[in-house]
Amino acid sequence: MKPEVREWYEQLSKEQRSRLDIFSIYVASENRHKSQLQALYDGEDVPDFIRRFIDDPNIPSVEETVKEIENKYEYVKGEFVEKIQ
């Protein structure tokens, strides 16, 4: 990981770090996908749009989003349906 990327990454909260989990990158030369986090460890820079997304305090964490979905929907017969309140 590049020193400036490590410095940025280490100041992130757990919630902000969880947002990196939703990004993956297609590596054409290897014909595979890898996570954005793995790309950082491989020495790549953080794209500006990802940095803005991670740093935005108004965007909920992945855990918060999953909890919200679980509270609003249930999985019935192969699809998500809104829970009746």
Side-chain angles (χ1 to χ4, degrees):
M1 190 179 287
K2 292 180 178 179
E4 63 273 11
V5 173
R6 180 175 302 283
E7 183 179 327
W8 172 79
Y9 181 76
E10 288 177 351
Q11 60 85 32
L12 296 177
S13 68
K14 180 181 175 186
E15 291 167 355
Q16 288 173 306
R17 289 179 184 188
S18 75
R19 295 179 194 158
L20 280 172
D21 295 339
I22 66 172
F23 291 100
S24 69
I25 298 169
Y26 180 70
V27 183
S29 63
E30 298 173 14
N31 194 27
R32 69 178 184 96
H33 284 85
K34 67 179 174 181
S35 70
Q36 178 61 49
L37 183 56
Q38 183 60 49
L40 299 182
Y41 278 106
D42 290 348
E44 296 182 29
D45 289 321
V46 182
D48 286 339
F49 78 93
I50 291 179
R51 190 180 293 259
R52 286 192 307 271
F53 179 79
I54 300 297
D55 291 341
D56 188 340
N58 297 316
I59 297 174
S61 70
V62 173
E63 293 167 352
E64 290 171 318
T65 303
V66 168
K67 285 179 187 174
E68 183 178 330
I69 290 170
E70 289 174 341
N71 288 336
K72 288 184 176 182
Y73 301 94
E74 59 188 335
Y75 196 68
V76 179
K77 297 182 181 178
E79 63 184 68
F80 284 99
V81 294
E82 195 165 346
K83 288 182 179 178
I84 299 172
Q85 302 293 328

